[in-house]
Amino acid sequence: MKRRTVIAGLGCVALSGIGRARAQSEPPKPRQIVVNASGGAMATALRKAYFDSFEKEYGIRIVDTSPTDFGKLRAMVESGNVEWTVTELGGQDAIRVARMGLVEKIDPKIVDRSGFPEQARSETVYTSSLYSTVLAYRTDVFKPGSHPKSWAEFWDVKKFPGARSLRNHPVDNLEFALLADGVPLDKIYPIDMDRAFKKLDEIKPHVTVWWTTGAQPAQLLVDKEVVLATGWNGRFYDVIKKGAPIAIEWNGGSIKEGTFAIPKGAKDAYWGQKLLAWMSDPKRQAVYATELGYPGPHLETTKYVDPKVAPQMPNYPENLKKQFWNNKQWWDENGEKAAERWNQWLLKK
Amino acid sequence: MSRGRSAGTDLALRNVTKRYGAVSALTDVSLAVEAGELLTILGPSGSGKTTLLKVVAGFELPEAGIVMLGGSDVTERPPAARNIGMVFQNYALFPHMTVRENVAFPLEMRRVPRRLIEEKVARALALVELTGYEARLPTQLSGGQQQRVALARAIVFDPILLLLDEPFGALDRKLREQMQLEVRRLQRQLGLTTLFITHDQEEALVLSDRIAVMSHGRIEQIGAPDEIYERPANGFVADFVGESNVIAGRAAARKDGLVEIELEDGARICVAGDRIPDAGAEVRVLVRPERLELASDGAAINRVAGTVVETVYLGTSYKYRLRVPGGREWLVRRPVRAGEAPLAPGDSVAVGFAPGDAHLIAG
Amino acid sequence: MTEAVATLPLAAGDRVRRRHARSVLGALALSTPALVLLLVFFALPLLRLFWLSVDAGTFLPYEKALTERLYLTVFWETFKIAAAVTVLTLLLGYPVAYFLATTTRLWQFVGFAFVMLPFWTSILVRTYAWMVLLGRNGVVNRTLLDLGLITEPLPLLHNFTGVLIGMVHVLLPYMIFPIYNAMRKVDADLVRAAEGLGAPGYAVFRRIYLPLTMEGVLAGTTLVFILSLGFFITPALLGGGRVAMIAVIIEQQVREFLNWGFAGALSVVLLASTLVVYGLVHRLLRPRFAEGVR
Ligand SMILES: Nc1ncnc2c1ncn2[C@@H]1O[C@H](COP(=O)(O)OP(=O)(O)OP(=O)(O)O)[C@@H](O)[C@H]1O
Ligand SMILES: [Mg+2]
């Protein structure tokens, strides 16, 4: 009885000794950090690719919560009671959070993003993955090779007849319309809305479904409701993996970033940066990519995935060349005006 | 609407049987109602009165038997085509229609011209003395007024038959008596063949041309009120209609239209009877309380000595409960008279009755 | 009633009034928990919504909501769809309610199970089920094609029809239950009385049964209409983007543009116009006898 007490006491002294020793190089390790993301299949992929190994390496447990919620983020930062160490950001929020000063800067001394494309090295947010809005088609209707290979051809209903589906949202569609109208990839922004909507007028009668949720376009192609659709590459990847007669045309695809950030005033922000650093490794990003079809942005990621799968990734060098980076800044400034005009245009008979 | 001759039609039921699952609501019921007659169906709750009306009105199809109306078989004719006016047990006024609309409803269904409708409604409402209530909703009327609206609605279209299902059940005594007279007056005035349901024997006696007494889905007796009261066909009828003293005994001898009956205690009484039972047969004798005479009233033949157990003052009469030999009790009713002191409990009296005031009933 | 009060001596009139006041207070006390709940979960958010819409100190959001073609059109379309859904659920729901109210216990049980089924599956699952059924290559179209009844697939999905079918399915129970309830309360003797008075079947229905169940119809249509106005997922998925509902626009304003002011203004306008429609419908359809009682 007595001996045991002594041993326990010793252990205690020893542990605190280590703690003090580490404090000089880095902040103390918390027992756990909270990572907030969209949940679902993504949560599984994050855990498999990054979280499990991070926990093992640092002995910090990662508690994952969902969903992403801009309002909650803002409330947390404003009240100073920040629960999240790291959070994923919704589509257009990356620009907004920076503008409103809701997030910490990404520390380049901890997070090395030299292997990322230049567009994916924001000061304020960490690009965790890339995805692309692309053209997909049914291979039993259009033989690969003689399928629509550009937005101009997507618009060409004589040569490529059949029902189409586009997203019920101006983002990407305005860009695609301009490309179809002959604007070169690097001259899309700033978008000429008049020109874009005029071009969209042409395709409107041939669009049977204006999709609203990410799962829809792949399903529409599978059900043969339409023969051509735009959609997020990962969703198509999913059904292609399962053997659906569907293929992706990368030409003119619109690349976007999935982003994470560290809320301003987050406890253990240092360990948040460490997690992002952990996630920037191309090998781990390859695991994530194989799982979801959305690769991390590291240019070497595709080297580490199955060579058969690599061409299905938006940052496969061949694919990257043919696409453009969607301009978040433009959309942050013009999104509302564009949406209003879009709604009006769609209602017009 | 007022007519000299009878507007009604004769009704006949032949061997009608109606079952609800295992319950036999009507068993082999036969009944004939003459044109212009008011026939009352009298019976305790659950005896099948409403069921009988429903079969007549066409709401229920009997399993067996036929319903004849004015000489033709209407057993399977839908209710809407029977031209029968009915007042339901709970009036069944349409709650969303005014008094005027309720009464006009059957006329509108018959596509009576608009002007004529106004006239007929006004006349029917005048008949039930509800002129001025046209715009009210049923919920804004008293029970008696609702009942009269139901009556007006049932007669406004000159039906060939009127069915009334315990229409006065919910009314107070005074209103009830007033309505009874009113219905009788209307029925006579219009010459309407009427089937009237009640479980109130007094009401039946007051109103009816004839009464049919029902029990357990069967008709026990049909006859004029006095016949039912004076000469009940069996114990049930005797017991159900009016108060009665029933004396059990054995026929001992008979002579000159009189039957001598030996009671259990050996005493003998004499009863007049058209139906003379065999000697030795078990019989029962019915004597109404008001037919019993106290000894002081005069020479009664069939005398019994008794003791007053209870005295009840009824306004027009006294009712005495007497204990008579054999441990039985008799009821005696005597009119109240000036200067005549009532009997008090404990008094000993002799009671008796003339042979003609008693009635022999079967088994 | 008024007559009686007028002839009462003053003191007695006071007494009547006092007793009335007491019973009102009693009823109020009993309903306090419910009122508090309503206040916290309904009235306050509503006030906040209104507050948000005028937060900027101007009525500009209202001006925009009430003058721009886009929003007027969407409001109009929303009300049109809500009206169409209400009429359809009524036409389908009334006979079902009648069946349930008049059938045997066993059938009632089976019937209710079917009516309740949509309640037990998520709205998303139900909506996807309709997509599988109604698509160009869906079960319905394939069956009709195989039977040779049609040569081209019918456009059942991604249009007005699709939205109607989906919404009617989801909302049908809300129509059936109040009507069923009203039907259970109808005294069978009233129907008999009408028949006995010479009314043919259709007249019994139109003059007696329908007015007597009108209360349920009113409750059901109000419920379905108001729920339809706020519909969101079903029109988005089954409408193929062609069917504009105001809820979609409001959601977009909040989620995408954090435009609480304008979203608030749109909601307030929606609420106000809903109340107007509600008032009109009640004026037209409210059963008379319900007012006369008491
Ligand atoms: N719809 C029905 N289903 C099953 N049984 C019924 C039905 N209607 C009546 N009965 C039964 O049939 C019998 C006769 O009922 P009925 O209503 O004719 O009685 P009633 O003489 O009118 O009684 P009351 O004076 O109480 O109105 C009763 O035993 C009753 O329970
Ligand atoms: Mg009855």
Side-chain angles (χ1 to χ4, degrees):
Chain A
M1 189 69 189
K2 209 169 194 178
R3 217 180 320 160
R4 217 180 292 162
T5 320
V6 172
I7 292 166
L10 278 174
C12 187
V13 170
L15 272 176
S16 56
I18 292 168
R20 212 176 296 133
R22 279 270 180 101
Q24 284 148 4
S25 58
E26 54 189 14
K29 263 187 205 170
R31 287 210 8 243
Q32 58 182 47
I33 58 176
V34 180
V35 178
N36 183 64
S38 343
M42 187 177 177
T44 321
L46 282 172
R47 182 144 287 283
K48 201 163 160 189
Y50 310 118
F51 294 175
D52 281 344
S53 53
F54 180 85
E55 285 180 344
K56 215 181 262 163
E57 174 73 17
Y58 294 102
I60 299 173
R61 209 160 68 82
I62 291 175
V63 178
D64 38 325
T65 59
S66 67
T68 61
D69 186 335
F70 179 82
K72 201 163 167 187
L73 170 66
R74 183 159 75 166
M76 275 185 191
V77 173
E78 282 169 3
S79 69
N81 180 19
V82 182
E83 282 171 39
W84 299 332
T85 313
V86 175
T87 181
E88 192 194 342
L89 299 171
Q92 301 296 310
D93 294 342
I95 297 289
R96 204 147 58 190
V97 292
R99 176 157 43 81
M100 296 170 77
L102 298 178
V103 293
E104 304 274 352
K105 287 205 164 111
I106 305 299
D107 187 346
K109 290 204 286 296
I110 303 172
V111 188
D112 172 18
R113 291 180 292 178
S114 54
F116 287 22
E118 177 196 347
Q119 293 92 331
R121 281 184 242 157
S122 153
E123 271 197 346
T124 43
V125 297
Y126 169 81
T127 301
S128 61
S129 64
L130 297 180
Y131 66 100
S132 183
T133 310
V134 291
L135 193 168
Y137 58 96
R138 275 195 75 103
T139 50
D140 55 352
V141 177
F142 306 111
K143 289 276 154 292
S146 56
H147 67 274
K149 285 189 269 314
S150 67
W151 294 111
E153 293 190 331
F154 183 94
W155 252 250
D156 187 347
V157 294
K158 283 213 188 68
K159 206 165 147 207
F160 303 96
R164 283 135 163 90
S165 179
L166 289 171
R167 185 179 174 192
N168 183 7
H169 199 286
V171 81
D172 298 334
N173 284 334
L174 299 186
E175 286 94 329
F176 297 157
L178 291 179
L179 290 174
D181 207 27
V183 175
L185 276 180
D186 56 345
K187 293 282 181 328
I188 296 173
Y189 301 101
I191 289 173
D192 177 348
M193 278 211 252
D194 289 337
R195 183 171 175 184
F197 277 106
K198 200 154 156 258
K199 189 69 184 172
L200 279 165
D201 282 339
E202 290 174 21
I203 198 75
K204 193 176 176 188
H206 307 282
V207 177
T208 53
V209 186
W210 299 92
W211 58 267
T212 40
T213 65
Q216 259 177 301
Q219 195 60 45
L220 288 166
L221 284 173
V222 169
D223 295 343
K224 230 174 165 182
E225 282 287 316
V226 298
V227 295
L228 290 173
T230 62
W232 299 326
N233 66 290
R235 303 290 190 156
F236 294 133
Y237 173 74
D238 252 0
V239 291
I240 292 170
K241 224 170 28 176
K242 286 176 196 147
I246 290 166
I248 290 173
E249 171 55 58
W250 292 94
N251 189 26
S254 169
I255 300 179
K256 295 197 209 89
E257 302 120 77
T259 52
F260 278 69
I262 298 170
K264 191 146 242 153
K267 292 176 286 224
D268 312 310
Y270 173 82
W271 293 101
Q273 303 272 6
K274 285 295 253 192
L275 175 65
L276 297 181
W278 192 257
M279 288 165 66
S280 64
D281 174 68
K283 289 198 191 91
R284 290 183 199 117
Q285 289 186 3
V287 174
Y288 184 82
T290 311
E291 197 70 12
L292 276 187
Y294 294 121
H298 202 291
L299 289 167
E300 286 178 10
T301 309
T302 46
K303 283 194 198 158
Y304 299 104
V305 300
D306 180 344
K308 280 213 286 288
V309 173
Q312 301 289 345
M313 304 287 163
N315 58 343
Y316 184 63
E318 278 302 297
N319 296 342
L320 208 52
K321 274 194 309 216
K322 299 188 209 163
Q323 305 174 80
F324 65 94
W325 289 75
N326 191 283
N327 188 330
K328 281 186 183 175
Q329 194 67 44
W330 190 89
W331 282 103
D332 184 54
E333 284 158 18
N334 301 284
E336 201 168 338
K337 213 164 45 188
E340 208 154 84
R341 186 153 174 190
W342 175 268
N343 288 335
Q344 202 142 20
W345 173 80
L346 202 59
L347 273 179
K348 211 170 52 189
K349 290 279 150 29
Chain B
M1 194 170 297
S2 53
R3 243 170 270 217
R5 53 177 200 86
S6 143
T9 307
D10 59 311
L11 164 76
L13 274 72
R14 299 211 189 115
N15 310 97
V16 169
T17 293
K18 172 74 204 166
R19 270 186 217 93
Y20 291 114
V23 182
S24 189
L26 296 176
T27 312
D28 200 25
V29 168
S30 294
L31 183 73
V33 189
E34 280 163 33
E37 185 185 25
L38 190 155
L39 184 116
T40 297
I41 313 283
L42 176 65
S45 187
S47 55
K49 305 184 295 294
T50 298
T51 308
L52 180 74
L53 274 206
K54 281 184 181 164
V55 168
V56 172
F59 301 133
E60 298 283 8
L61 190 67
E63 274 87 40
I66 55 169
V67 180
M68 305 281 295
L69 201 54
S72 44
D73 182 352
V74 298
T75 317
E76 293 187 17
R77 192 184 288 179
R82 294 194 185 197
N83 211 25
I84 294 177
M86 176 158 176
V87 174
F88 285 72
Q89 201 158 355
N90 54 3
Y91 313 146
L93 293 179
F94 305 131
H96 57 298
M97 296 187 188
T98 61
V99 167
R100 199 201 68 78
E101 289 165 335
N102 261 285
V103 179
F105 185 80
L107 300 174
E108 284 166 6
M109 291 304 116
R110 285 169 175 74
R111 305 196 181 287
V112 174
R114 222 180 164 64
R115 268 228 356 270
L116 207 52
I117 290 183
E118 297 304 323
E119 254 178 64
K120 280 179 173 264
V121 169
R123 238 185 302 157
L125 286 176
L127 217 52
V128 297
E129 293 172 1
L130 276 179
T131 307
Y133 289 77
E134 288 83 355
R136 298 249 192 132
L137 289 168
T139 46
Q140 299 166 323
L141 297 174
S142 75
Q145 290 166 338
Q146 288 181 28
Q147 198 279 325
R148 281 185 280 164
V149 175
L151 191 58
R153 188 179 69 178
I155 58 174
V156 71
F157 59 97
D158 303 325
I160 56 172
L161 180 68
L162 182 62
L163 307 179
L164 301 163
D165 191 355
E166 299 200 32
F168 311 133
L171 307 184
D172 66 61
R173 190 182 175 87
K174 186 114 186 286
L175 195 55
R176 189 187 179 94
E177 280 171 4
Q178 194 184 319
M179 289 305 303
Q180 286 168 3
L181 292 176
E182 197 125 322
V183 163
R184 191 64 174 136
R185 177 178 62 79
L186 271 174
Q187 188 265 336
R188 290 245 163 86
Q189 191 178 334
L190 305 176
L192 260 174
T193 315
T194 302
L195 213 50
F196 184 96
I197 285 189
T198 185
H199 59 242
D200 179 340
Q201 39 105 3
E202 227 174 286
E203 187 165 271
L205 294 173
V206 171
L207 274 177
S208 325
D209 290 322
R210 284 192 304 152
I211 297 173
V213 182
M214 278 190 82
S215 159
H216 293 109
R218 291 175 189 278
I219 292 190
E220 301 285 347
Q221 187 179 6
I222 303 183
D226 56 342
E227 197 181 330
I228 296 285
Y229 189 76
E230 305 287 343
R231 293 190 292 284
N234 55 37
F236 174 81
V237 176
D239 203 47
F240 192 71
V241 183
E243 288 175 320
S244 54
N245 298 303
V246 177
I247 310 158
R250 201 174 286 279
R254 47 189 162 140
K255 60 173 191 255
D256 310 335
L258 286 184
V259 185
E260 196 176 13
I261 291 160
E262 186 183 322
L263 305 185
E264 283 163 20
D265 56 3
R268 291 194 170 216
I269 55 174
C270 268
V271 176
D274 26 328
R275 221 166 27 88
I276 309 293
D278 296 331
E282 292 211 358
V283 294
R284 287 197 293 168
V285 177
L286 166 74
V287 190
R288 296 290 183 189
E290 67 277 10
R291 297 293 180 89
L292 280 172
E293 289 176 72
L294 297 175
S296 56
D297 288 348
I301 317 167
N302 303 312
R303 294 177 73 114
V304 180
T307 316
V308 177
V309 177
E310 191 185 28
T311 302
V312 182
Y313 176 61
L314 294 172
T316 56
S317 60
Y318 282 103
K319 189 164 86 181
Y320 303 112
R321 209 141 55 76
L322 301 188
R323 170 143 306 138
V324 295
R328 275 186 299 272
E329 288 190 341
W330 283 13
L331 291 175
V332 181
R333 204 191 264 258
R334 302 305 306 156
V336 177
R337 289 215 184 89
E340 190 181 294
L343 296 171
D347 290 354
S348 289
V349 287
V351 291
F353 55 90
D357 281 328
H359 173 65
L360 265 180
I361 50 181
Chain C
M1 185 64 208
T2 39
E3 235 174 286
V5 169
T7 56
L8 278 173
L10 207 78
D14 268 357
R15 200 156 54 213
V16 168
R17 266 195 295 279
R18 264 209 308 278
R19 163 146 343 150
H20 182 68
R22 233 189 349 250
S23 74
V24 166
L25 277 181
L28 212 62
L30 284 176
S31 46
T32 301
L35 287 178
V36 168
L37 265 179
L38 265 183
L39 189 75
V40 172
F41 291 107
F42 187 69
L44 290 184
L46 214 62
L47 270 178
R48 176 152 167 71
L49 202 66
F50 180 72
W51 183 246
L52 281 169
S53 67
V54 294
D55 198 20
T58 66
F59 284 99
L60 243 88
Y62 286 94
E63 205 181 305
K64 185 172 169 186
L66 290 171
T67 53
E68 274 191 27
R69 266 281 298 284
L70 168 63
Y71 302 106
L72 292 179
T73 317
V74 175
F75 269 116
W76 173 239
E77 291 277 317
T78 306
F79 275 81
K80 223 166 59 183
I81 289 168
V85 168
T86 308
V87 169
L88 267 179
T89 47
L90 179 60
L91 291 180
L92 292 173
Y94 198 91
V96 175
Y98 183 76
F99 169 75
L100 290 173
T102 51
T103 190
T104 59
R105 267 176 180 277
L106 178 70
W107 279 110
Q108 214 173 50
F109 181 80
V110 175
F112 269 117
F114 271 102
V115 173
M116 294 293 288
L117 215 56
F119 274 140
W120 297 329
T121 40
S122 93
I123 194 161
L124 221 59
V125 170
R126 274 181 282 168
T127 306
Y128 275 109
W130 278 117
M131 293 170 86
V132 171
L133 277 176
L134 300 176
R136 277 179 69 80
N137 301 295
V139 177
V140 173
N141 269 324
R142 260 209 312 269
T143 310
L144 290 177
L145 281 169
D146 289 350
L147 291 174
L149 292 173
I150 51 174
T151 50
E152 273 284 295
L154 297 173
L156 300 173
L157 197 61
H158 304 303
N159 53 22
F160 197 74
T161 316
V163 175
L164 274 192
I165 293 174
M167 285 178 73
V168 165
H169 177 233
V170 173
L171 291 168
L172 206 51
Y174 294 93
M175 184 63 86
I176 290 175
F177 285 118
I179 296 180
Y180 165 81
N181 219 24
M183 285 175 172
R184 292 292 299 214
K185 284 193 278 183
V186 172
D187 181 358
D189 271 350
L190 293 178
V191 173
R192 290 204 192 97
E195 284 173 14
L197 291 168
Y202 69 88
V204 175
F205 175 75
R206 205 181 63 73
R207 297 285 307 273
I208 310 296
Y209 201 76
L210 185 61
L212 288 177
T213 50
M214 209 47 164
E215 225 174 329
V217 170
L218 202 62
T221 47
T222 308
L223 211 58
V224 168
F225 186 77
I226 288 176
L227 287 173
S228 305
L229 288 177
F231 250 58
F232 179 71
I233 298 171
T234 311
L237 289 181
L238 299 183
R242 261 186 217 81
V243 181
M245 295 286 281
I246 196 70
V248 178
I249 301 265
I250 294 175
E251 193 262 3
Q252 189 182 47
Q253 289 296 328
V254 172
R255 182 179 48 81
E256 216 172 304
F257 307 123
L258 302 177
N259 206 339
W260 286 92
F262 188 48
L266 287 173
S267 310
V268 170
V269 171
L270 176 65
L271 183 70
S273 37
T274 306
L275 287 178
V276 169
V277 171
Y278 176 79
L280 283 178
V281 169
H282 270 241
R283 255 286 143 82
L284 285 175
L285 299 182
R286 193 175 166 74
R288 241 188 328 173
F289 64 103
E291 287 166 16
V293 189
R294 273 183 299 157

